[in-house]
Amino acid sequence: MVGTAFAPPSAAHGPARPGGTGHEIRDPLVAARTAFFNGSGWTAHLPEPRHDRRLPDAQGELANLLEAEYGLRPRAVPPGEGPEVDRRDRAVAGLRRAARLGVPLTPEALLAHREGDPRLMAVLTELWPETVRWHGPRHAEEVLHAMLGESRDGPVAGHLLDLAVAAGLHPLTPVESASLARTTTHRAVRHSAWRYLRQLPGGPTYLPHPSQAADAYERLLLAPPVPAFGPERQGPAGRLVAQSMLLGGLDTPGEGMSGGLAVLLGGLGDRLAATDGISGVITVVTAGHEDLAADDRLAHDRAPRHWVLRLPVDAPSAPAQVEMHRHRPALTWWAVRLLRAMPRPLDVLHVRYADDGSLALADAAERLGAALVFTATPDPHRGLAERHAASDPADPTAADALRHDLHRVFLADRLVERADTVVGIPGRGGTRELVRHFPGLARLNEGRGPSAPPEGIAPYRPAPDEDDRRREALKRLYRDGTRPDALDPRDRGLPVLLCVGRLHPLKQQDLLVRSWLATGAHHTTTLVLIGGSPGTGTAVEDDIRRRIDTLLAPYPQAARRLALLPALPNTEVRRLQRALAQRTADACCWYVCPSAKEEFGIAVLEAMDAGLPVAGPRRGGVAHYLRDQVNGLLMDTSGQAGLMRGLRRVAATSADDRRRYAAAGRKLVGERFSVTRMADELAAEYTALHTG
C-alpha cells in the first residue's frame, strides 16, 4: 500500500515555489531535500550557481554525495558524477533518486545491481515491486530465472529468491530450488531456498525432514510452529494492533540495545489493550539463537489482550541496527506467517525506527492487508551535516558512518511514502522540525503536518511492603565501596548523581565520568550509573566500561564513590529513584542525563515522576518538556566543557530551587505524560484508518 499523501515529486510538477531552497537554510541536507521535494532542485557544481540553488556550508564528501542523490538533472536518474563519487556511490544515489521519483526500472536494469552492497540491495528491494507491476510478473520471472542460472552458488542466488518470494514469482521449479538448497555452501542461500519452496505449489514436499537441520533455527524453518496468540474471532470488537520493538529486548531495558523504548512499548501495549476501540495488541520482538535456547516460545501473554510475538532471527541475539538488512527477508516471512495464523486478521502495524527491520514489517503489513503507521523522528537528519563536516574521507569508519546515516534517511523516506499515516514525537515547536526534514509531511492535516500523540509513562505501583523494599534497595547500594556496583557506606551522607540508560556512546556515560572527575565533584558527591548487560556484555558495553575504568584508575577515592550497576528491572529502578528522592536535603539526589541527544527521554520522565530534580541535554526532545530553571536544568552535552558547566550549575543549585524543580517536574508528568493519554490518542489514530 502507498500513502499518496507522501508521493515524491515528479517531472510533471510545476515551477518551483520562490525560495524553495532558500539560501537562508544553513543545513546542506535540509537545503538539498527541500529543493528536491519542492521540485526546484539545486546543485553544488554549477559554474555560476543561482543563490537559491546553492548548497550552503557543504564541501567535500558530504556535498558530493548530496549532489549525486538530490541534485536535479535533465535525466530522471542522475549520474552523480561529482568528484570523489565512485561507481558504487553513484549507483546507490541513482537508485534512491529513482525510488523517490517513482521511476520504474526494467528488471534487467534493476538487477544489474544484484551484486551490490547491502545499501544498494535495500534500494533494489524497494524498487522491485514497482518494477514487477510495470513490466509484468512473467517478464520479471524470466529475468530472475536467467540470472539464477548464472549465480547458482553465491549469495546473489539467495537475494534473487527473496525477490521472487516478495513478488510471488516462481522462477525455479521445486526440483531446481531443492537442489540449490541441498548443494549450496551458503547458509543464507539455503534458508532463502527453503522459504521459496514454502510458497511453491507442491514445494513443501521437497523440504528436508527437520531432523536434517543443522541447529534449532533451521528446525524452526523446516517445521514452523503455529503458536496460539491473539484475540478470538468472537472476542472484543475493535482494531487489532501490532507494534514493533525489533532492537533489544522488551523486558530487559538497559541491556544491549534495549532502552527507553522497551519501557514505553511495554507499558503502552498493556494500556492500549484495555482502551476502547482496541481488541488486542501484539508487540513484535526478535529472538536469536541464545534467546530461543532460554525460552523456545514464539508467543506469550504479557497482560490481558497484550501478546508478545518473537520473530526468530539467524543470529546469536537480537541483531544490531546496522546488521538488520541481513534479516529483512526472513523477518518479513516470519511476520507474515505468524501474524496470518491469528484467529483474527491484523488491522494496524506500527513501526518506530528508520531501519531495514521496519521496512521488513512494512512489507509484512502490505501482504497482510494491514494499515501501516510510522513514527517519524528527525533522526538521523538532525545534525547529520554537523556530525560529518569534519570527518576525514580517508577514514573508512567515518566514511561508512556517513553512508549509513544517508541510508537511514532513505529508509525513513520509504517508510513515510509507504505508511498509511505518519505521526511525530512531540517537540517544542510541534512538528515543525519534522516537516523541515520531511517536506512532504507538510501536506498532512491541511498543512499543519503530522499529529504528535504525547508519549507517556505507566504509573508506578508500589508493592505492599514498599517501605521495606526501598530500605533494602539503599542498603544494597551502600554495601561496599570496593565493589564496582556499590558505594562506600561512609559516603551515605553525600549527594548522589544518578544516571540510568543503556551503555552506549550516544548516552555518554564516559563523558559524564570524565566531567565529574574534572570538576572535582568526586570530592563532594557520589555517582551511580545503571545500565548494561549483567555478566558478559556486548562489545559496545564492554568498551564503555573500559573507558570508565581507565578514567577512574588514577583516582582510587573516586572509584569508591562511583557505582556502575547492571541494568535493573524497570520497577526496581523506579523504586530506587523514590528511595533516593526521600533522603535529606544534604544527601539529595539529582538525575543527570548526559546523552548527546534524546529523542524523548523516558528515563528522564520517570525520574521527574519519582520526585527527583533533573538535569538533561539541551539538544533533542528533552527540551520539549524540561524548561531550564523552571522544572530542571538544561545542559550543553556536546562536549566536556558544556557538561562540566552543567555539573557546576547542579552543584550551585539551592535546596529551595531543587525542591521547586522536583515538584514542578512531578506535576508536569502527572498532567501531560501519562500512558493512558498516549494510548487514547493512538487508539484514535488507529481507528481512523481505513483497513482491510
Side-chain angles (χ1 to χ4, degrees):
M1 63 192 69
V2 175
T4 55
F6 316 119
S10 68
H13 278 208
R17 292 190 295 272
T21 57
H23 62 275
E24 74 281 358
I25 299 178
R26 305 305 303 166
D27 186 310
L29 177 65
V30 173
R33 289 173 58 77
T34 299
F36 180 86
F37 284 101
N38 286 347
S40 60
W42 61 268
T43 177
H45 302 298
L46 287 175
E48 297 181 3
R50 286 167 36 190
H51 288 294
D52 67 340
R53 296 179 65 186
R54 294 182 62 184
L55 180 62
D57 297 334
Q59 55 186 335
E61 189 170 43
L62 176 61
N64 295 329
L65 292 173
L66 291 178
E67 168 67 19
E69 189 165 334
Y70 294 100
L72 296 186
R73 302 274 188 168
R75 284 183 282 172
V77 181
E81 293 175 350
E84 306 301 326
V85 177
D86 63 20
R87 176 177 296 181
R88 183 184 63 179
D89 289 329
R90 287 200 299 273
V92 171
L95 290 182
R96 286 177 184 162
R97 293 260 344 269
R100 289 186 174 110
L101 292 169
V103 177
L105 303 182
T106 66
E108 294 87 347
L110 185 58
L111 295 180
H113 302 286
R114 62 190 179 278
E115 297 189 18
D117 69 7
R119 291 167 196 141
L120 191 58
M121 289 304 300
V123 195
L124 188 156
T125 301
E126 283 298 294
L127 284 165
W128 178 247
E130 197 67 15
T131 287
V132 174
R133 276 192 287 269
W134 273 83
H135 298 280
R138 184 171 181 177
H139 179 52
E141 198 171 85
E142 291 171 350
V143 174
L144 282 177
H145 178 78
M147 292 186 176
L148 280 164
E150 301 168 3
S151 310
R152 274 301 174 92
D153 191 35
V156 172
H159 297 323
L160 296 175
L161 286 177
D162 290 334
L163 293 175
V165 171
L169 305 179
H170 303 158
L172 295 184
T173 67
V175 171
E176 290 171 325
S177 47
S179 173
L180 173 60
R182 188 171 54 254
T183 59
T184 183
T185 58
H186 297 273
R187 179 180 173 93
V189 174
R190 180 165 66 250
H191 296 174
S192 296
W194 288 349
R195 293 193 298 267
Y196 173 76
L197 278 168
R198 283 276 173 196
Q199 75 160 19
L200 281 182
T205 61
Y206 287 83
L207 288 167
H209 191 271
S211 62
Q212 299 179 38
D215 50 43
Y217 179 82
E218 290 200 344
R219 283 193 294 276
L220 284 174
L221 269 180
L222 292 173
V226 183
F229 72 103
E232 295 298 326
R233 186 173 294 276
Q234 303 303 321
R239 295 294 168 88
L240 177 54
V241 177
Q243 56 178 6
S244 68
M245 171 65 202
L246 301 184
L247 297 176
L250 183 65
D251 297 316
T252 55
E255 297 183 26
M257 295 170 294
S258 181
L261 187 62
V263 176
L264 173 72
L265 293 184
L268 173 62
D270 293 348
R271 181 61 235 172
L272 194 58
T275 302
D276 289 344
I278 303 298
S279 66
V281 176
I282 315 296
T283 298
V284 182
V285 302
T286 54
H289 301 171
E290 295 170 359
D291 307 310
L292 291 168
D295 180 356
D296 63 359
R297 296 176 300 169
L298 295 190
H300 63 268
D301 296 5
R302 174 188 159 93
R305 292 162 49 192
H306 181 191
W307 295 267
V308 176
L309 176 63
R310 306 167 79 214
L311 304 182
V313 289
D314 192 19
S317 57
Q321 194 172 57
V322 294
E323 296 295 321
M324 197 64 78
H325 63 88
R326 303 180 190 278
H327 306 278
R328 177 175 173 178
L331 285 172
T332 300
W333 187 84
W334 278 111
V336 171
R337 185 173 187 87
L338 296 174
L339 290 169
R340 186 172 277 162
M342 292 190 298
R344 293 172 58 171
L346 184 70
D347 294 306
V348 178
L349 201 160
H350 190 156
V351 297
R352 285 180 166 84
Y353 279 116
D355 62 17
D356 295 277
S358 291
L359 277 174
L361 293 188
D363 294 337
E366 187 163 352
R367 295 182 205 178
L368 293 166
L372 180 69
V373 178
F374 173 49
T375 295
T377 71
D379 178 47
H381 310 63
R382 179 200 292 137
L384 183 150
E386 181 183 343
R387 283 195 304 277
H388 297 290
S391 63
D392 180 3
D395 177 1
T397 301
D400 189 68
L402 169 59
R403 285 160 177 79
H404 180 65
D405 276 352
L406 292 175
H407 172 65
R408 290 190 58 217
V409 169
F410 171 74
L411 299 183
D413 282 347
R414 294 304 301 158
L415 288 163
V416 165
E417 168 67 17
R418 296 177 62 176
D420 291 272
T421 196
V422 174
V423 296
I425 291 178
R428 179 172 290 179
T431 55
R432 285 199 302 270
E433 184 186 16
L434 195 59
V435 171
R436 183 170 181 258
H437 294 292
F438 295 92
L441 292 179
R443 308 171 196 171
L444 290 179
N445 297 322
E446 299 178 345
R448 296 189 301 273
S451 64
E455 305 228 324
I457 59 174
Y460 177 72
R461 304 191 185 283
D465 56 345
E466 182 71 13
D467 290 342
D468 291 340
R469 294 191 182 207
R470 291 186 188 182
R471 283 192 290 270
E472 181 60 29
L474 290 177
K475 183 179 178 181
R476 283 197 305 271
L477 179 62
Y478 287 97
R479 65 184 182 272
D480 185 354
T482 64
R483 294 175 57 103
D485 61 348
L487 299 174
D488 193 321
R490 293 172 295 181
D491 291 328
R492 192 161 181 154
L494 292 179
V496 175
L497 304 179
L498 175 66
C499 174
V500 180
R502 59 195 176 98
L503 294 181
H504 191 275
L506 278 176
K507 302 299 181 181
Q508 300 192 145
Q509 289 96 339
D510 56 326
L511 181 62
L512 175 58
V513 173
R514 186 183 299 114
S515 302
W516 180 66
L517 294 170
T519 57
H522 59 290
H523 295 300
T524 55
T525 66
T526 56
L527 177 59
V528 178
L529 308 176
I530 302 177
S533 303
T536 303
T538 66
V540 171
E541 291 173 333
D542 290 344
D543 180 58
I544 297 294
R545 289 189 177 109
R546 278 193 297 270
R547 295 185 199 181
I548 292 173
D549 289 343
T550 300
L551 290 167
L552 290 173
Y555 301 93
Q557 181 191 12
R560 297 175 66 89
R561 289 183 172 172
L562 186 149
L564 175 52
L565 284 69
L568 301 174
N570 183 250
T571 299
E572 292 187 24
V573 170
R574 299 180 75 176
R575 178 174 293 123
L576 178 60
Q577 289 173 337
R578 282 160 172 77
L580 291 169
Q582 290 177 324
R583 303 201 318 164
T584 64
D586 290 339
C588 67
C589 177
W590 276 83
Y591 185 86
V592 178
C593 176
S595 301
K597 68 172 182 63
E598 289 282 349
E599 288 303 329
F600 195 72
I602 292 296
V604 175
L605 284 181
E606 289 184 337
M608 295 171 83
D609 181 58
L612 293 176
V614 167
R618 190 176 299 278
R619 175 177 292 184
V622 170
H624 160 55
Y625 54 83
L626 199 162
R627 297 178 60 198
D628 193 54
Q629 300 184 76
V630 174
N631 56 11
L633 297 178
L634 289 173
M635 306 182 295
D636 174 9
T637 59
S638 62
Q640 181 176 332
L643 191 50
M644 288 174 64
R645 287 193 297 271
L647 292 181
R648 291 190 180 107
R649 291 184 68 202
V650 165
T653 302
S654 69
D656 286 343
D657 282 342
R658 284 199 309 269
R659 284 190 288 268
R660 178 167 59 86
Y661 299 160
R666 193 167 198 172
K667 182 173 183 287
L668 174 79
V669 174
E671 291 177 349
R672 290 179 48 194
F673 295 107
S674 75
V675 74
T676 299
R677 182 182 173 194
M678 183 181 185
D680 288 343
E681 295 202 19
L682 280 175
E685 293 279 352
Y686 299 152
T687 55
L689 291 167
H690 297 289
T691 62

